[in-house]
Amino acid sequence: MGEPATNDTAFERYVLPEIEVLLRVANSLTRNYAEAEDLVQDTLIRAYRGIDGFDGRHARAWLLTILRNTHINRNRRRRPELLRDPDAATDRMISAASEERTDSMIDDELDVEIVRALDSLDVSFRRVVELVDIDGLTYAEAAEVLDVPVGTVM
């Protein structure tokens, strides 16, 4: 295949073309453009640090995985009570919501339920949902990442 790419060259080749997709997915995750930009910036830093271990295959899936994990880690740091006792945290949100339900609180409740539902799925099914519905990959891209036929993903 020729000479191996330097980290900067690999970053330019694999990462930079995906920034627009990263921003779009980050914005859908955060629903806040400034926060989405911060999330993408953190993702790019992590991608740059890890580019030497990247094999050059499925750059978008690799980057979206970094983005998703970065987003999850950021939320865990903000909401440590969800890690300790998700049920109690949900109960507190629901009781507070009876006084005043905000869109943010409803979104948080929904996020907890979605995480529970995803966790209840078999790993192979959960991976498809993560790649297609969360990371925004097409069925064909997800099939390629998972090394299964497109029909299986669909």
Side-chain angles (χ1 to χ4, degrees):
M1 274 187 83
E3 289 184 30
T6 66
N7 286 355
D8 290 344
T9 304
F11 189 83
E12 289 174 17
R13 179 175 179 191
Y14 299 115
V15 177
L16 294 183
E18 300 295 337
I19 289 177
E20 187 176 319
V21 171
L22 292 172
L23 272 169
R24 194 169 56 243
V25 172
N27 199 39
S28 73
L29 289 172
T30 63
R31 295 185 199 105
N32 176 302
Y33 194 75
E35 192 174 328
E37 286 179 325
D38 288 345
L39 177 58
V40 169
Q41 184 176 17
D42 289 348
T43 300
L44 294 175
I45 290 168
R46 291 172 191 263
Y48 186 78
R49 288 179 183 157
I51 195 77
D52 59 337
F54 177 61
D55 66 4
R57 295 181 43 203
H58 314 294
R60 181 174 291 173
W62 177 67
L63 291 166
L64 289 171
T65 299
I66 294 171
L67 179 96
R68 183 186 69 244
N69 291 338
T70 302
H71 179 66
I72 289 168
N73 289 337
R74 292 169 113 214
N75 284 331
R76 282 181 180 156
R77 281 191 292 272
R78 289 184 195 146
R79 306 286 308 269
E81 74 276 5
L82 288 177
L83 292 176
R84 287 191 299 274
D85 189 356
D87 292 329
T90 302
D91 291 343
R92 281 192 304 276
M93 286 190 297
I94 290 171
S95 70
S98 66
E99 296 171 15
E100 179 183 342
R101 292 182 70 81
T102 65
D103 287 342
S104 174
M105 293 172 74
I106 292 169
D107 287 344
D108 289 342
E109 291 171 33
L110 183 59
D111 289 346
V112 169
E113 291 303 316
I114 289 171
V115 168
R116 271 196 201 127
L118 283 172
D119 286 345
S120 72
L121 290 175
D122 182 65
V123 173
S124 58
F125 295 122
R126 181 175 51 240
R127 189 72 182 124
V128 170
V129 171
E130 289 172 345
L131 289 172
V132 174
D133 296 322
I134 297 172
D135 295 340
L137 270 61
T138 65
Y139 290 138
E141 290 169 332
E144 190 174 318
V145 169
L146 298 171
D147 196 27
V148 299
V150 149
T152 302
V153 172
M154 294 171 72

